[in-house]
Amino acid sequence: MFLDFFYKLRSLNAPVSTREYLDLLNVLDSYSKKNETISPERFYQIARSILIKDVKYYDAYDLAFSECFSGLVSDDDFKSKLNDWLQNALEKELSEERKANAMNLPSEELMKELQKRIDEQKERHDGGNKWIGTGGTSAFGHSGFNPNGIRVGGEGINKSALAVAGRREFKDYRTDEILNIRQIKVALKKLRSLKESGRKELNIEKSIKATCNNAGEIEIIETKSRKNNLKLVLLMDIGGSMTPHSNRVSQLFSAAHQTNHFKEFKHYYFHNIFYDDLYHHANLHPDEITDFQKLKSIHNSDTRFIIVGDAYMAPYELFQMTGSMREFYYSFIKDNKKSNLTGMDRVEVLKKLYAKTVWLNPEPKKLWSAPTIKAIKEVIPMFELSIDGLSEAIKELI
Amino acid sequence: MSELNEYVLSEELKEAIKIAEITKRPLLIKGEPGTGKTLLANFYANQNNLPLFRWHVKSTTLAKDGLYFYDALTRLNDSRFGDQSGRDVNNIKDYIRMEAMGQAFSFDGPCVLLIDEIDKADIEFPNDLLLELDRMEFSITETGEVIKAKERPIVFITSNSEKELPDAFLRRCVFHYISFPDQNMMKDIVKAHYPEVDKSLLENALSMFYQIRDINELRKKPSTSELIDWINMLLHQGANLKGTKEIPFIGTLLKSEEDLSKFK
């Protein structure tokens, strides 16, 4: 049952490994040696502290807990389940762990330890020695994992663990969508061009060397530290066919935003393709805009541009002027500027201004057959919006 | 320290500390700001009469900074101008200074180590500490000396979740999330700070406080430490909150202008 619980957690994407599993056994063992009773409430706390390392998985834990430890019909039922576990634990652990988690493959040492622990438990069980808790009837004696043992509203202030788990108080902390932000951030970290900048600082190593060369006469060497000089602009397509991808785009955005090692980071929004204006906010509010023509006065030519969009639109929108009704409408009511450029022209202008520009497409590569995608791909190198695609794109940018 | 007598330890947290003691793994603590993450280490050290070594992590902190510091500059100076301090220029050990983690590892006997706000540093920072936290040892490059903890110190690590911590690091920790105290727990906390507080004042203050916290649009919800300040303020000014619609001294609870404007 422990293993079921453990694998249930894994299937709910909570990253639990053998190490945590062994820790849990270790703690339960040590509690039992001290003859401390472990109520289900307590087990709930203990296992959560050891198995779960982030509040965003608390909800998965609650779900797994209530699924695994409720609905046991009788004492015998529970006992037989435990026996099964003890017999199968090792084989199961070996094969499934290996399959499920080739990366986190535990070392031989851990495996041996696991086997030892499991053997140990079996002996305890066979010998009728109580492992944990009272009574000595069941192997783990965790008096609470059968319905009779769960004291709903029992002693004093103790809450039933299942009731707590059932309430799912940590639902709001689920953040499945940010699971990959770290990966994106790590990829973005590669995006840097180091330049010496700032105030000179004492370089101890070089000073010592120079002083030695100088026969002990102190020679102070100062150097400037190297800082990332890279400026990045993110242009994001928003709305329409991009809506299904908004999650991944916002991941990329927040990762770039949180990565504070860029010298400059700016972002703009557009819809389908850039027109006269780039929007500052995702709601495409026409009052907060930057003129496309002014980009070159705002951003130096060594600025890196990452464009995120599916490059998918009606061909006339890319190849003809006044392609989009929305743009046409706003340029009409403003009546001030009208560049004579099509969307495709602007793609070319941008690439000419900023040689280091890439396009990230959230659609998988095999679907890149639309004429607009093909045309844009000719001008700006296009990559998939995935961790791998991003890494390739970054190579292109450096 | 008086403030430590006022620390209220929840049952759940007690359990987590116990587990950290048994497994000898660092206890990683997260929670809203102001829920007493940092204070916990102080409290624990104080309660068990153990020395506490603190390492406050900053954005520029490197893993090595917590271990030791080789003072090459003083050595250079001593070699040039001679020294009256009793340091031996030829002995490099005289110029090696232990930092918090190094001090804890070389301490003779049980002790407590606090690594505060680990998420402030670079994203790879926790990974650089894996070996040190696992084995509780490190070597000094300059002398080749190995510092190894005779007794594994109890390590508390706090994080404000500004950055994600790497999985390899997390696997080596015991984790506890300090959830925001409920009304009953909060009552105990306030009483621990102000035993003389009037019952009805406390009830009113708490109900107001939790009402404010229930407003989802707030940029920063007031936390325990703000409540304590606020109640202190109310006690000082002799306010009783009876029948008042306006919240007095709301500036102690809400710190951002945007939030304040919602109450005007």
Side-chain angles (χ1 to χ4, degrees):
Chain A
M1 189 154 41
F2 269 135
L3 271 182
D4 283 350
F5 180 46
F6 187 73
Y7 282 106
K8 183 78 212 169
L9 279 172
R10 287 192 66 101
S11 74
L12 290 170
N13 289 328
V16 281
S17 69
T18 319
R19 188 186 267 268
E20 277 102 3
Y21 185 69
L22 291 176
D23 274 351
L24 179 60
L25 290 179
N26 185 12
V27 169
L28 292 177
D29 190 33
S30 129
Y31 272 46
S32 79
K33 275 182 191 143
K34 287 187 211 147
N35 265 335
E36 290 196 42
T37 43
I38 298 190
S39 62
E41 295 83 32
R42 207 157 165 207
F43 176 77
Y44 172 84
Q45 291 297 340
I46 294 169
R48 196 176 67 182
S49 292
I50 296 170
L51 297 175
I52 304 297
K53 304 300 166 69
D54 200 321
V55 69
K56 69 185 173 211
Y57 302 122
Y58 272 17
D59 189 49
Y61 179 84
D62 283 353
L63 281 176
F65 194 91
S66 46
E67 192 170 319
C68 292
F69 297 125
S70 62
L72 287 171
V73 185
S74 70
D75 223 6
D76 290 340
D77 192 20
F78 168 70
K79 249 163 108 181
S80 70
K81 273 194 177 174
L82 253 173
N83 275 330
D84 285 352
W85 170 58
L86 285 169
Q87 270 151 23
N88 296 330
L90 193 63
E91 303 158 40
K92 206 172 168 189
E93 182 75 15
L94 270 168
S95 56
E96 281 196 26
E97 178 68 24
R98 241 173 226 189
K99 264 186 276 165
N101 203 3
M103 291 290 287
N104 287 337
L105 195 68
S107 66
E108 286 303 306
E109 211 176 307
L110 278 179
M111 277 302 179
K112 267 186 220 153
E113 181 71 12
L114 179 63
Q115 180 158 17
K116 209 184 96 202
R117 295 277 171 85
I118 289 169
D119 288 349
E120 214 172 89
Q121 278 163 50
K122 209 167 178 182
E123 279 161 29
R124 282 162 187 274
H125 171 68
D126 290 341
N129 201 347
K130 62 184 174 186
W131 210 62
I132 298 160
T134 54
T137 44
S138 75
F140 262 41
H142 36 93
S143 50
F145 299 132
N146 53 69
N148 307 334
I150 295 171
R151 293 160 306 187
V152 180
E155 300 173 351
I157 54 162
N158 275 353
K159 291 175 278 188
S160 157
L162 278 173
V164 174
R167 256 185 275 145
R168 295 185 65 191
E169 281 170 346
F170 294 95
K171 208 169 149 196
D172 293 348
Y173 292 97
R174 281 192 89 99
T175 47
D176 291 0
E177 59 266 37
I178 68 157
L179 282 182
N180 289 318
I181 285 195
R182 191 184 141 78
Q183 282 172 295
I184 300 176
K185 270 195 201 164
V186 170
L188 284 174
K189 280 242 147 162
K190 290 186 203 130
L191 199 53
R192 58 183 175 190
S193 73
L194 295 172
K195 270 238 173 103
E196 294 185 349
S197 66
R199 219 156 44 95
K200 280 191 172 180
E201 275 170 21
L202 176 68
N203 186 324
I204 292 177
E205 234 157 76
K206 281 189 180 164
S207 298
I208 292 175
K209 206 161 187 190
T211 305
C212 292
N213 288 337
N214 228 359
E217 195 67 30
I218 286 186
E219 176 98 33
I220 299 289
I221 307 282
E222 289 180 318
T223 47
K224 285 181 176 175
S225 61
R226 298 199 306 160
K227 285 217 172 96
N228 191 8
N229 204 33
L230 195 130
K231 297 173 278 266
L232 179 69
V233 173
L234 197 58
L235 292 176
M236 288 167 284
D237 186 358
I238 199 155
S241 55
M242 281 298 285
T243 310
H245 310 298
S246 58
N247 235 348
R248 260 182 303 157
V249 178
S250 71
Q251 268 179 24
L252 176 72
F253 171 67
S254 40
H257 196 71
Q258 287 166 27
T259 309
N260 46 15
H261 79 285
F262 300 120
K263 190 177 180 196
E264 201 180 288
F265 172 69
K266 270 253 169 172
H267 65 278
Y268 303 100
Y269 296 92
F270 61 92
H271 182 56
N272 283 348
I273 195 66
F274 3 98
Y275 289 92
D276 283 331
D277 300 313
L278 293 167
Y279 299 93
H280 292 183
H281 298 291
N283 58 11
L284 304 184
H285 198 282
D287 285 346
E288 288 167 278
I289 49 172
T290 295
D291 191 339
F292 184 83
Q293 307 283 1
K294 283 187 185 147
L295 270 186
K296 59 174 179 280
S297 59
I298 303 172
H299 302 289
N300 291 342
S301 61
D302 64 347
T303 305
R304 270 67 163 180
F305 273 69
I306 297 180
I307 304 161
V308 190
D310 57 4
Y312 183 77
M313 64 207 91
Y316 69 83
E317 194 168 352
L318 185 63
F319 301 117
Q320 285 172 20
M321 280 169 49
T322 65
S324 135
M325 284 314 289
R326 178 191 172 87
E327 291 299 321
F328 182 69
Y329 172 72
Y330 281 120
S331 57
F332 179 75
I333 54 166
K334 274 196 195 153
D335 194 30
N336 51 4
K337 54 189 171 190
K338 269 245 174 95
S339 63
N340 301 316
L341 297 173
T342 65
M344 199 56 216
D345 290 340
R346 285 200 194 83
V347 170
E348 276 158 16
V349 166
L350 189 76
K351 178 66 183 171
K352 229 173 251 170
L353 280 174
Y354 304 102
K356 302 273 189 188
T357 297
V358 291
W359 193 293
L360 293 177
N361 196 327
E363 293 285 359
K365 221 171 194 166
K366 56 177 190 269
L367 301 178
W368 293 358
S369 51
T372 50
I373 301 181
K374 277 187 176 158
I376 291 173
K377 210 170 81 174
E378 293 278 290
V379 182
I380 297 179
M382 193 176 283
F383 303 90
E384 274 183 45
L385 180 56
S386 62
I387 294 296
D388 294 341
L390 182 64
S391 304
E392 278 174 55
I394 282 170
K395 274 183 210 147
E396 186 78 21
L397 286 178
I398 291 172
Chain B
M1 267 196 271
S2 70
E3 136 181 274
L4 294 180
N5 300 328
E6 291 151 3
Y7 195 88
V8 180
L9 197 61
S10 73
E11 286 298 319
E12 296 171 13
L13 193 48
K14 249 186 229 166
E15 198 74 58
I17 294 174
K18 218 166 167 182
I19 292 162
E21 284 170 347
I22 293 171
T23 54
K24 307 274 183 204
R25 294 202 188 284
L27 176 59
L28 173 67
I29 303 165
K30 285 190 187 178
E32 274 186 50
T35 38
K37 295 187 292 292
T38 308
L39 264 184
L40 175 70
N42 284 332
F43 172 77
Y44 179 84
N46 199 41
Q47 211 187 26
N48 295 288
N49 258 329
L50 297 173
L52 170 68
F53 301 98
R54 290 188 195 87
W55 181 12
H56 297 284
V57 177
K58 297 189 181 110
S59 64
T60 52
T61 304
L62 299 174
K64 206 184 152 194
D65 297 348
L67 303 173
Y68 69 93
F69 175 68
Y70 169 45
D71 192 355
L73 205 60
T74 308
R75 192 172 183 215
L76 196 65
N77 182 65
D78 286 355
S79 79
R80 181 69 181 80
F81 300 107
D83 67 290
Q84 286 83 41
S85 59
R87 287 187 293 262
D88 179 6
V89 176
N90 294 316
N91 186 1
I92 198 164
K93 283 185 185 164
D94 282 5
Y95 298 92
I96 289 194
R97 204 172 62 217
M98 287 296 161
E99 298 292 340
M101 207 161 165
Q103 285 172 14
F105 287 3
S106 49
F107 187 78
D108 202 8
C111 62
V112 184
L113 171 65
L114 166 68
I115 305 177
D116 204 12
E117 309 199 17
I118 193 162
D119 54 327
K120 284 262 187 310
D122 188 79
I123 196 156
E124 292 303 330
F125 173 82
N127 277 338
D128 297 342
L129 284 176
L130 289 182
L131 194 72
E132 283 78 6
L133 284 175
D134 237 12
R135 299 217 195 127
M136 299 278 179
E137 69 171 61
F138 64 92
S139 66
I140 299 173
T141 328
E142 282 77 6
T143 62
E145 196 186 347
V146 175
I147 304 285
K148 187 171 173 35
K150 281 181 206 137
E151 204 164 328
R152 290 174 76 94
I154 297 288
V155 185
F156 291 93
I157 300 172
T158 73
S159 162
N160 279 322
S161 316
E162 274 177 29
K163 297 191 184 90
E164 294 253 311
L165 297 172
D167 287 346
F169 175 79
L170 291 175
R171 269 205 297 281
R172 286 163 171 85
C173 299
V174 172
F175 172 69
H176 183 77
Y177 181 84
I178 303 188
S179 30
F180 198 80
D182 59 14
Q183 290 228 19
N184 283 329
M185 176 95 183
M186 194 56 105
K187 250 182 223 168
D188 291 342
I189 294 172
V190 175
K191 275 183 194 153
H193 283 260
Y194 304 108
E196 74 282 8
V197 67
D198 178 64
K199 211 176 163 192
S200 73
L201 172 71
L202 181 60
E203 297 270 335
N204 287 335
L206 283 184
S207 88
M208 269 184 186
F209 176 74
Y210 279 93
Q211 265 171 33
I212 296 175
R213 274 188 60 87
D214 277 344
I215 303 172
N216 276 325
E217 295 90 61
L218 287 184
R219 283 184 59 185
K220 179 177 177 320
K221 292 185 175 183
S223 67
T224 314
S225 51
E226 272 122 17
L227 175 72
I228 301 289
D229 287 348
W230 186 50
I231 291 192
N232 188 12
M233 200 72 176
L234 294 175
L235 286 173
H236 257 280
Q237 304 293 326
N240 62 7
L241 296 183
K242 264 179 208 143
T244 42
K245 274 205 178 139
E246 253 183 36
I247 303 168
F249 319 114
I250 191 162
T252 38
L253 288 174
L254 299 173
K255 306 285 169 69
S256 97
E257 211 159 311
E258 220 180 299
D259 290 346
L260 277 174
S261 66
K262 294 201 174 85
F263 284 86
K264 273 171 190 164

